[in-house]
């Protein structure tokens, strides 16, 4: 039995090769792997001794040879293939152990592996059936199981891996090369990847706004008890070979995270950091069903939490509470006095806070996490495909907003308008947010018409936004929405503008004595 071992990640490879050799396997290797095995005293046959050709082109060509690929690709069930091996003096290769260059760590042409993927794909293609085939190992985590099975097989006289194991390993191998190719494509889609193409043309190396193809390579890392409902399966996946903020999050206490915990906590975490960065202050967001039901910003975290909770205390029960600052003892006192949250997430906790949460809120999931990652693309599945867009952003700067009414907003009203608009951009459409003093006192979300969203927001605010701001994620088509805002007592309305009846809407605002701002951008979320 012959094995070809050529790996970049040498974790465990010496022990693996040592035990494989003790089972009577002949080992062929190349480059750094061959040197490492020889230094460790493992009997090894160099690839160039098998091929009769030296490595060349700085190692770019070493395993791309018929004496290697013929040995891997020969179908043992076909007499003609076996005859060809005999005719050309090629020994069959029964096991390929190979992992690829670490392209993601330092992307560039020199880390685009050619020989590795060719060997891996050849071995995976020829994994065979019950009559025999080639095993392929791309993950050091599989070494132990493969050795155990080969040892048991040798003891029974069978001598190789089972068809089921070879099939499992072949699947892992094709996933390995698919993820590798996907990483290269993603790199070529970046601006740096197109600099070479633009060189000498005088053109700016800017990529297309959206790539012509999108290649997803994801690995399952967390299993959920179930999906959105008990009859659904659910799990968290991440890009192969990449760590996200979720992988650096630490759960201090509480039940295991569910599918909806992941979904809602992700939304809350992104919103609280966006709001905190925009306001340059502490921020607290409470999310229910991916929608903020409470949001506030300010200097004192305990006060900010209390205002966020008071926005909609009924909806806050069982919600996700996100902080952009370390939770202190004063804040945990407010949390203890409020309704139980399903999950609390923060960048850290003062000494004693987690213990108090464990004592008072035993089932609440308490997470500590780094700030969220920046997204490159936003993807959403539809039947038969995907919708892809650039990630959610706020395009217009408040200093560029247009005052369209006779009355101009005061400095405090403008601050309320900025806050309301920021929160509104994270609320499901149709969205209306009523805010004052950096607190979202009324949030109307997900209604089929803007008037009813405004009515819901006004009912929740219950007068607490008087003198503040009303934000609408899309333009008001008629003046009735502005009337609803005035009835809620706000002093300024911020909206995108751009309706056919903008003049009528502005006239209504003037009639009611409101200030109105046009942002020039819509903030729909579905």
């Amino acid at each position: 039995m012959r094995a070809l071992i050529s790996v970049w990640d040498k974790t465990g490879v010496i022990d693996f090769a040592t035990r494989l050799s003790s089972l009577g396997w002949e080992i062929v290797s190349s480059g750094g792997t061959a040197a490492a095995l020889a230094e460790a005293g493992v009997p090894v046959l160099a690839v160039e001794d098998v091929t009769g050709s030296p490595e060349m082109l700085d190692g770019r060509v070493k395993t791309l040879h018929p004496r290697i690929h013929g040995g891997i690709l020969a179908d043992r069930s076909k007499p003609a293939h076996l005859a060809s091996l005999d005719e050309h003096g090629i020994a069959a290769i029964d096991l390929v152990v190979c992992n690829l260059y670490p392209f993601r760590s330092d992307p560039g042409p020199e880390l685009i592996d050619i020989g590795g993927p060719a060997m891996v794909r050849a071995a995976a293609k020829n994994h065979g059936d019950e009559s025999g085939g080639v095993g392929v190992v791309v993950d050091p985590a599989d070494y132990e199981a493969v050795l155990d099975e080969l040892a048991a097989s040798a003891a029974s006289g069978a001598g190789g891996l089972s068809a089921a194991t070879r099939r499992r390993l072949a699947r892992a191998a094709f996933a390995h090369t698919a993820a590798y190719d996907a990483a290269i494509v993603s790199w070529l889609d970046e601006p740096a990847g197109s600099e070479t193409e633009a060189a000498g043309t005088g053109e700016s190396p800017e990529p297309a706004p959206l790539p012509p193809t999108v290649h997803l390579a994801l690995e399952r890392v967390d299993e959920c008890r179930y999906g959105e409902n008990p009859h659904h399966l659910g799990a968290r996946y991440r890009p192969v070979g990449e760590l996200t903020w979720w992988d650096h999050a630490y759960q201090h206490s509480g039940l295991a995270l569910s599918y909806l915990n992941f979904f809602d906590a992700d939304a809350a975490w992104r919103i609280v950091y966006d709001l905190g960065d925009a306001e340059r202050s502490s921020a607290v967001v409470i999310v229910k069903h991916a929608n903020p039901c409470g949001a506030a910003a300010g200097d004192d975290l305990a006060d900010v939490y209390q205002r966020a909770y008071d926005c909609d205390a009924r909806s806050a029960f069982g919600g996700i509470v996100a902080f952009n600052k370390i939770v202190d003892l004063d804040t945990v006192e407010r949390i203890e006095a409020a309704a139980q949250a399903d999950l609390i997430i923060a960048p850290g906790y003062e000494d004693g806070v987690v213990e108090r949460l464990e004592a008072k809120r035993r089932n609440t999931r308490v997470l500590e996490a780094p700030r969220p990652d920046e997204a490159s693309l936003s993807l959403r599945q539809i039947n038969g495909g995907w919708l892809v867009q650039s990630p959610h952003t706020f395009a217009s700067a408040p200093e560029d907003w247009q005052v369209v009414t006779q009355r101009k907003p005061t400095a405090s009203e403008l601050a309320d308008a900025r806050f309301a608009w920021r929160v509104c951009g994270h609320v499901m459409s149709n969205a209306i947010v009523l805010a004052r003093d950096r607190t979202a006192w009324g949030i109307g979300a997900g209604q089929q018409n803007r008037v009813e969203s405004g009515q819901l927001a006004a009912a929740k605010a219950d007068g607490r936004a008087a003198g503040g701001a009303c934000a609408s994620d899309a333009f008001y088509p008629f003046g009735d929405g502005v009337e609803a805002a005035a009835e809620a007592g706000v002093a300024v309305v911020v909206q995108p503008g751009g309706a056919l009846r903008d003049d009528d809407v502005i006239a209504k605002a003037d009639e009611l004595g409101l200030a109105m701002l046009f942002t020039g951008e819509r903030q729909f979320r579905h």
Side-chain angles (χ1 to χ4, degrees):
M1 305 289 280
R2 173 178 275 191
L4 172 60
I5 303 179
S6 180
V7 295
W8 177 273
D9 179 1
K10 295 178 177 56
T11 303
V13 74
I14 291 175
D15 181 60
F16 178 83
T18 300
R19 292 175 60 187
L20 195 64
S21 179
S22 71
L23 291 174
W25 283 68
E26 181 182 47
I27 296 173
V28 178
S29 189
S30 65
T33 306
L37 296 181
E39 185 178 348
V42 180
V44 61
L45 182 63
V47 163
E48 52 262 41
D49 292 334
V50 173
T51 63
S53 300
E55 291 187 12
M56 61 182 68
L57 306 180
D58 297 322
R60 287 190 175 194
V61 177
K62 49 193 173 187
T63 58
L64 296 171
H65 194 282
R67 289 186 177 275
I68 297 297
H69 283 273
I72 298 173
L73 284 167
D75 186 337
R76 323 302 170 80
S77 68
K78 295 182 178 180
H81 283 208
L82 297 178
S84 290
L85 293 184
D86 288 339
E87 178 184 353
H88 298 287
I90 298 173
I93 294 174
D94 305 284
L95 182 67
V96 171
V97 181
C98 180
N99 51 62
L100 309 180
Y101 295 158
F103 182 83
R104 292 179 186 83
S105 66
D106 186 21
E110 289 306 313
L111 286 187
I112 296 178
D113 203 335
I114 302 301
M119 287 189 296
V120 168
R121 288 178 60 84
K125 169 187 172 71
N126 202 26
H127 71 274
D129 52 28
E130 295 295 342
S131 64
V134 180
V136 56
V137 184
V138 297
D139 187 348
D142 283 318
Y143 288 170
E144 190 71 25
V146 167
L147 286 168
D148 289 346
E149 185 170 331
L150 288 176
S153 179
S156 67
L161 296 171
S162 68
T165 296
R166 293 196 308 272
R167 183 180 178 87
R168 177 182 69 81
L169 294 173
R171 187 204 178 281
F174 281 121
H176 189 54
T177 58
Y180 192 80
D181 287 340
I184 295 171
V185 173
S186 296
W187 170 69
L188 290 170
D189 281 335
E190 296 173 359
S194 59
E195 286 177 359
T196 307
E197 299 173 10
T201 66
E203 298 178 1
S204 176
E206 294 183 1
L210 291 175
T213 59
V214 176
H215 303 266
L216 294 179
L218 308 175
E219 58 186 350
R220 188 179 66 224
V221 288
D222 287 305
E223 291 193 13
C224 306
R225 287 179 297 164
Y226 49 79
E228 285 185 278
N229 299 291
H231 61 286
H232 298 136
L233 299 177
R236 180 178 74 89
Y237 287 72
R238 70 180 175 209
V240 172
E242 297 181 21
L243 296 178
T244 71
W245 73 266
W246 274 109
D247 300 296
H248 298 292
Y250 177 76
Q251 184 171 352
H252 287 279
S253 62
L255 302 171
L257 269 63
S258 70
Y259 177 96
L260 290 177
N261 286 150
F262 278 114
F263 188 80
D264 289 343
D266 188 77
W269 202 227
R270 286 183 286 107
I271 297 169
V272 79
Y273 268 93
D274 179 71
L275 187 61
D277 290 348
E279 292 291 317
R280 299 181 182 178
S281 66
S282 299
V284 177
V285 171
I286 303 175
V287 161
K288 198 74 171 289
H289 306 307
N291 254 324
C293 62
D299 298 324
D300 181 79
L301 191 65
D303 173 67
V304 174
Y305 167 77
Q306 190 64 56
R307 286 187 281 118
Y309 176 77
D310 289 342
C311 291
D312 188 352
R314 180 166 57 184
S315 296
F317 176 79
I320 308 294
V321 183
F323 298 85
N324 73 332
K325 303 292 183 182
I326 293 174
V327 178
D328 54 30
L329 291 169
D330 288 340
T331 303
V332 80
E333 287 184 7
R334 306 291 185 97
I335 296 173
E336 290 171 337
Q340 178 158 325
D342 212 29
L343 183 148
I344 295 171
I345 183 168
Y349 301 87
E350 278 189 0
D351 290 344
V353 169
V354 172
E355 290 76 12
R356 286 178 61 166
L357 290 172
E358 287 177 322
K360 294 282 188 176
R361 297 285 185 261
R362 186 179 54 164
N363 291 331
T364 296
R365 300 154 177 88
V366 179
L367 270 65
E368 183 174 332
R371 67 179 296 129
D373 305 313
E374 295 291 332
S376 57
L377 291 175
S378 174
L379 291 86
R380 179 173 290 181
Q381 192 169 11
I382 59 174
N383 192 287
W386 299 78
L387 295 174
V388 181
Q389 67 174 350
S390 54
H392 176 260
T393 57
F394 290 87
S396 65
E399 54 267 26
D400 296 326
W401 293 352
Q402 181 184 6
V403 179
V404 295
T405 48
Q406 296 171 11
R407 192 174 82 78
K408 299 185 183 303
T410 65
S412 64
E413 290 167 0
L414 182 57
D416 288 335
R418 290 176 176 176
F419 180 87
W421 178 252
R422 205 76 188 188
V423 175
C424 191
H426 293 286
V427 177
M428 294 293 183
S429 302
N430 288 313
I432 297 292
V433 173
L434 304 178
R436 183 174 181 180
D437 297 331
R438 298 203 283 182
T439 308
W441 293 116
I443 299 175
Q447 300 304 301
Q448 287 77 13
N449 66 77
R450 197 160 302 283
V451 173
E452 290 181 1
S453 287
Q455 291 170 345
L456 282 173
K460 290 182 177 182
D462 194 23
R464 293 176 295 178
C470 169
S472 172
D473 62 353
F475 61 65
Y476 283 106
F478 305 102
D480 52 3
V482 178
E483 289 178 336
E487 289 171 4
V490 302
V492 59
V493 173
V494 56
Q495 58 137 323
L500 289 174
R501 296 181 176 85
D502 269 350
D503 290 343
D504 294 341
V505 173
I506 295 169
K508 178 58 69 174
D510 283 332
E511 176 189 329
L512 297 169
L514 300 178
M516 181 174 286
L517 298 161
F518 279 6
T519 66
E521 68 168 276
R522 193 177 70 183
Q523 279 293 340
F524 265 168
R525 282 192 68 235
H526 284 72

